[in-house]
Each structure stands twice: as structure tokens, then as C-alpha cells.
């Protein structure tokens, strides 16, 4: 029994803590992203998300558990898409673009808020810090990084990511609606790109640059 206890003490549980931070940060970043899509659509006249009870920050209303597991294991995941009916918009293309933009914009604002509160903790005297505050500090930093990554990733102009809806809004009507009809096939292209890690280094570098710029505002 003593040998088993000694073996347990030798184990490194740092990776468990890191994974817990990622999951908890995801449960914050993803619902905010999706809810802001729904709120934007609602403000523009589309009540679909409200009727389906998706205007909520409750993670259970937005989390796709397979997508969360994928993010946990592979660094790439997805959530339940907020339903949007563009027929309610006075200007359908512009309405879709603004609704799409609301998600990434919310992630960047969340990252700024997380870094601000992290800077408050970082400014405390060492004597005032305890285990929870240290954990919260790293949770806020992880949230900022993940939120920036989620925002930038969704701005990639490949359907069904938000960036495609923003970019497509500048196309002529006929081309726009043709591409929107086939956007579900973009998911296959997206999975291939992620699987082959094409452009992964560019995204990582972009996340690093944005994170450093934002952190420089507070630290």
C-alpha cells in the first residue's frame, strides 16, 4: 500500500488542470459566442432563436458534446448553431453579415474583459494571493487565449464559419444565394483543412499577435 501511495505522489497532474481550464473556458466562450449571434438576429427582427430558447448563456443550450470533446482532444470543436431565418431581416445579406460578426466580436470583447480582470489579480501584492486567485488568474488567461482563437477561427471565410457570411455579403445576389445553398459542403473542406493542419501555424501566430496586443493594454 505504501508503494502505491508513493507512486501516486509521483504522478504529474498538471495536464488534468490544463484540460479542466480548457473545458471551463470553452463553457464560457462558446455560449457567449452563440448567444450573441441570436441576440444580434433578434435585434434585427428575427425571433427564431428566442422562440427556440437559444438566447441564453446556459452552456447546456449551446454545447454539442461531441464538438466539445473534439475541442478537448484535438483543439478543434463546434457548438450547436443558433438558428437564424434571414427572411425576417429587412436586408437579408446585411442582416446575416451582422449576425455572423456578432459572434467573433463577442469573443474579442470577452478576451479583453478576461485580461482586464487578470491584470487586477496580477497587480495584487503577493501576500494577498491564495490558491484560488492564482487558479482564477490562469483561468482568465486561458479564457482570453481560447476566446481570441475562437473569434479568429470563425472569421476564416470558409462556410459555415462566420467569415464566409461576412465575405459573401459583398457578392451579387445570385452568387450569394447559390453559395449559401451549398455551404454545408464547406464543413467537409473545413474538416480536411483541420485534419491536415493546413494553415494551423498562421492561425497560431495570429492568435499570439492579437493576444500580445490585447495583453499589452493591461500588463
Amino acid at each position: 500500500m505504501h508503494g502505491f501511495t508513493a507512486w501516486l505522489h509521483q504522478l504529474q497532474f498538471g495536464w488534468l488542470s490544463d484540460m479542466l481550464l480548457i473545458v471551463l473556458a470553452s463553457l464560457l466562450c462558446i455560449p457567449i459566442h452563440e448567444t450573441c449571434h441570436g441576440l444580434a438576429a433578434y435585434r434585427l427582427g428575427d425571433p427564431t432563436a428566442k422562440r427556440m430558447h437559444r438566447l441564453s448563456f446556459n452552456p447546456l443550450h449551446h454545447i454539442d458534446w461531441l464538438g466539445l470533446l473534439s475541442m478537448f482532444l484535438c483543439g478543434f470543436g463546434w457548438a450547436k448553431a443558433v438558428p437564424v431565418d434571414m427572411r425576417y431581416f429587412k436586408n437579408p445579406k446585411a442582416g446575416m453579415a451582422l449576425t455572423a460578426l456578432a459572434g467573433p466580436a463577442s469573443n474579442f470583447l470577452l478576451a479583453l474583459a478576461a485580461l482586464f480582470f487578470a491584470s487586477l489579480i496580477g497587480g495584487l501584492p503577493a501576500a494577498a494571493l491564495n490558491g484560488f486567485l492564482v487558479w482564477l488568474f490562469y483561468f482568465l488567461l486561458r479564457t482570453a487565449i481560447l476566446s481570441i482563437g475562437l473569434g479568429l477561427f470563425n472569421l476564416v471565410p470558409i462556410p459555415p464559419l462566420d467569415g464566409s457570411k461576412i465575405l459573401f455579403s459583398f457578392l451579387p445576389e445570385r452568387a450569394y444565394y447559390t453559395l449559401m445553398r451549398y455551404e454545408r459542403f464547406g464543413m467537409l473542406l473545413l474538416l480536411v483543412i483541420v485534419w491536415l493542419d493546413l494553415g494551423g501555424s498562421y492561425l497560431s501566430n495570429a492568435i499570439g499577435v492579437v493576444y500580445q496586443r490585447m495583453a499589452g493594454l493591461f500588463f
Side-chain angles (χ1 to χ4, degrees):
M1 185 66 180
H2 174 73
F4 177 72
T5 303
W7 175 76
L8 283 178
H9 283 300
Q10 291 176 1
L11 290 177
Q12 299 294 323
F13 291 103
W15 68 274
L16 285 175
S17 177
D18 289 342
M19 291 299 102
L20 178 62
L21 287 176
I22 292 173
V23 170
L24 292 178
S26 299
L27 293 176
L28 177 61
C29 298
I30 293 175
I32 287 178
H33 178 102
E34 296 299 332
T35 299
C36 285
H37 279 317
L39 288 172
Y42 182 67
R43 291 295 299 271
L44 291 168
D46 176 17
T48 307
K50 181 177 176 62
R51 285 203 303 257
M52 298 184 71
H53 307 290
R54 296 296 300 276
L55 300 187
S56 168
F57 293 112
N58 183 346
L60 296 178
H61 291 178
H62 304 285
I63 294 298
D64 181 303
W65 294 106
L66 181 60
L68 183 62
L69 179 63
S70 176
M71 180 176 289
F72 182 76
L73 297 175
C74 310
F76 165 74
W78 57 89
K80 295 177 184 177
V82 169
V84 176
D85 189 341
M86 62 191 300
R87 292 174 296 181
Y88 285 101
F89 300 146
K90 292 180 180 179
N91 184 329
K93 289 200 303 179
M96 281 299 296
L98 290 172
T99 298
L101 183 60
S106 71
N107 289 129
F108 298 136
L109 290 175
L110 174 60
L112 286 170
L115 289 169
F116 169 72
F117 287 109
S119 70
L120 296 182
I121 297 174
L124 294 174
L129 296 177
N130 54 40
F132 172 74
L133 286 177
V134 172
W135 181 89
L136 180 60
F137 176 79
Y138 284 108
F139 168 73
L140 290 169
L141 294 185
R142 173 60 69 178
T143 297
I145 294 171
L146 183 63
S147 199
I148 291 169
L150 187 60
L152 290 176
F153 179 74
N154 273 279
L155 286 176
V156 174
I158 298 176
L161 298 180
D162 299 324
S164 65
K165 297 179 177 66
I166 298 169
L167 180 63
F168 291 174
S169 67
F170 294 100
L171 296 176
E173 296 284 328
R174 184 173 181 178
Y176 176 81
Y177 287 107
T178 298
L179 288 171
M180 290 293 285
R181 281 199 301 271
Y182 293 101
E183 73 169 353
R184 64 185 181 276
F185 296 110
M187 190 65 180
L188 297 175
L189 174 61
L190 193 60
L191 289 173
V192 170
I193 290 174
V194 171
W195 180 261
L196 297 176
D197 195 27
L198 300 176
S201 60
Y202 295 105
L203 180 60
S204 296
N205 291 337
I207 293 171
V209 170
V210 175
Y211 176 79
Q212 289 177 1
R213 296 292 177 84
M214 286 188 177
L217 298 174
F218 305 107
F219 291 94

